[in-house]
């Protein structure tokens, strides 16, 4: 089914070719989680399941959920227990020892609804360990997209499909819901891309691209690339995206049972 204009959609094959680094770099969050054998873990925003499988290989009992039916189908092909679910309306009958999430929370624009859902499906003492984009993430890419849309009389700022919080803002949200924050940091992580910036834009920035008619997209992409060339591309033609990560580990107190 085609996506409505302005919406991101996921093609697992395209994602695997141009964004495999997202799950590869997620191993740092797995290390922070320290999954234990027999623990029940939910991978929130599991995508195509490549990291979910790593958690399962650690011996944990892992479920995954993702908003994209195509990504969930790809994860099922890895033999994983996954379902399509909206991260802002989490509903599982089970209670989990931990909720894990990599590179997914920034797609969910109602963070308090996400945090509340995670809280409700954790056991007392359960951990919420995650990484997503932080304030400043891909700032130069967003600036370029907004500028080329502005040239066409379109308000690109109004499109923003991502939530990139500061450390203070996200820690406050977690604490307001009752979490104890054991660790939280904003980590600049310039990220070498496997190909051209155009591949990255076609894979992850569809919300902006769909603001113009299909026949205009190639021209728009060329202009964005031109603006980013002196900022993100080195002399040998290698592109590096200006990622900043928010990484945290929080815990539901042992006494909480609501
Ligand atoms: C990510 O997958 O980490 C990501 C996606 C879109 C924008 C920024 C980061």
């Amino acid at each position: 089914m085609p996506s409505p204009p302005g919406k991101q959609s996921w093609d697992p094959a395209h994602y695997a070719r141009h964004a495999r680094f997202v799950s590869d770099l997620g191993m740092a969050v797995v290390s922070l989680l320290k999954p234990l054998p027999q623990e029940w873990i939910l991978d929130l925003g599991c995508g195509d399941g490549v990291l979910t499988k790593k958690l399962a290989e650690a011996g944990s009992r892992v479920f995954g959920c993702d908003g994209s039916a195509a990504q969930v189908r790809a994860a099922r092909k890895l033999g994983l227990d996954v379902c399509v679910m909206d991260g802002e309306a989490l509903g599982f009958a089970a209670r989990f020892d931990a909720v894990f999430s990599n590179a997914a929370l920034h797609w969910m624009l109602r963070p308090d609804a996400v945090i509340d859902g995670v809280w409700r499906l954790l056991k007392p003492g359960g951990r919420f360990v995650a990484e997503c984009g932080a304030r400043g993430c891909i700032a130069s890419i967003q600036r370029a997209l907004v500028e080329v849309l502005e040239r066409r009389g379109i308000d690109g700022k109004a499109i923003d499909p991502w939530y990139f919080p500061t450390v203070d803002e996200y820690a406050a949200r977690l604490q307001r819901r009752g979490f104890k924050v054991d660790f939280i940091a904003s980590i600049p992580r310039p990220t070498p891309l496997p190909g051209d910036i155009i591949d990255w834009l076609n894979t992850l920035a569809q919300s902006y691209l769909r603001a113009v008619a299909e026949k205009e997209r190639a021209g728009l992409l060329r202009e964005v690339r031109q603006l980013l060339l002196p900022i993100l591309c080195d002399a040998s033609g290698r592109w590096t995206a200006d990622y900043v990560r928010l990484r945290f580990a929080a815990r539901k107190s042992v006494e909480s049972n609501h």
Side-chain angles (χ1 to χ4, degrees):
M1 197 199 306
S3 295
K7 276 272 176 177
Q8 173 73 24
S9 68
W10 300 100
D11 171 349
H14 193 82
Y15 186 83
R17 196 159 54 249
H18 299 297
R20 175 55 60 226
F21 66 90
V22 175
S23 50
D24 290 346
L25 294 170
M27 283 310 288
V29 205
V30 175
S31 302
L32 185 62
L33 173 67
K34 297 185 196 70
L36 297 172
Q38 304 306 312
E39 277 193 316
W40 290 96
I41 298 179
L42 175 69
D43 184 355
L44 168 56
C46 65
D48 62 9
V50 167
L51 264 186
T52 325
K53 190 148 187 257
K54 300 264 182 240
L55 298 175
E57 284 165 0
S60 310
R61 294 177 284 198
V62 185
F63 281 94
C65 66
D66 200 277
S68 159
Q71 292 283 59
V72 163
R73 277 195 298 278
R76 284 205 179 115
K77 287 190 187 145
L78 300 180
L80 296 163
D81 233 328
V82 289
C83 66
V84 178
M85 193 176 281
D86 177 355
E88 295 174 355
L90 290 170
F92 276 93
R95 286 264 181 125
F96 291 88
D97 296 294
V99 173
F100 167 89
S101 184
N102 179 58
L105 298 178
H106 48 246
W107 294 101
M108 302 173 200
L109 301 183
R110 294 172 53 229
D112 291 325
V114 177
I115 291 169
D116 184 56
V118 170
W119 174 274
R120 281 183 287 103
L121 52 80
L122 279 174
K123 293 176 184 170
R127 288 118 63 219
F128 180 22
V129 177
E131 183 172 302
C132 61
R135 181 68 52 86
C137 188
I138 57 148
S140 61
I141 300 177
Q142 274 194 301
R143 252 194 317 272
L145 284 161
V146 168
E147 184 175 330
V148 297
L149 286 171
E150 225 160 58
R151 289 176 190 166
R152 291 159 173 80
I154 298 168
D155 180 5
K157 282 201 178 115
I159 292 172
D160 192 353
W162 300 304
Y163 170 62
F164 295 138
T166 64
V167 162
D168 288 350
E169 180 185 334
Y170 208 79
R173 290 187 192 279
L174 288 165
Q175 285 159 350
R176 214 176 301 134
R177 187 59 188 89
F179 280 102
K180 178 178 180 306
V181 179
D182 292 323
F183 170 82
I184 188 162
S186 168
I187 304 163
R189 195 201 65 198
T191 301
L193 301 180
D196 198 274
I197 192 71
I198 295 216
D199 297 325
W200 187 98
L201 292 163
N202 275 321
T203 309
L204 294 164
Q206 293 168 12
S207 305
Y208 290 100
L209 306 185
R210 287 177 183 191
V212 300
E214 203 167 346
K215 61 179 181 345
E216 287 180 41
R217 283 183 203 149
L220 181 136
L221 283 164
R222 267 196 304 277
E223 287 178 41
V224 174
R225 186 179 193 278
Q226 203 55 37
L227 284 174
L228 292 174
L229 205 54
I231 308 169
L232 299 181
C233 190
D234 69 15
S236 62
R238 178 139 198 167
W239 288 87
T240 298
D242 49 344
Y243 275 51
V244 183
R245 313 308 283 167
L246 183 80
R247 191 178 298 164
F248 64 86
R251 196 168 350 146
K252 180 171 176 171
S253 67
V254 182
E255 297 84 49
S256 310
N257 203 14
H258 53 279

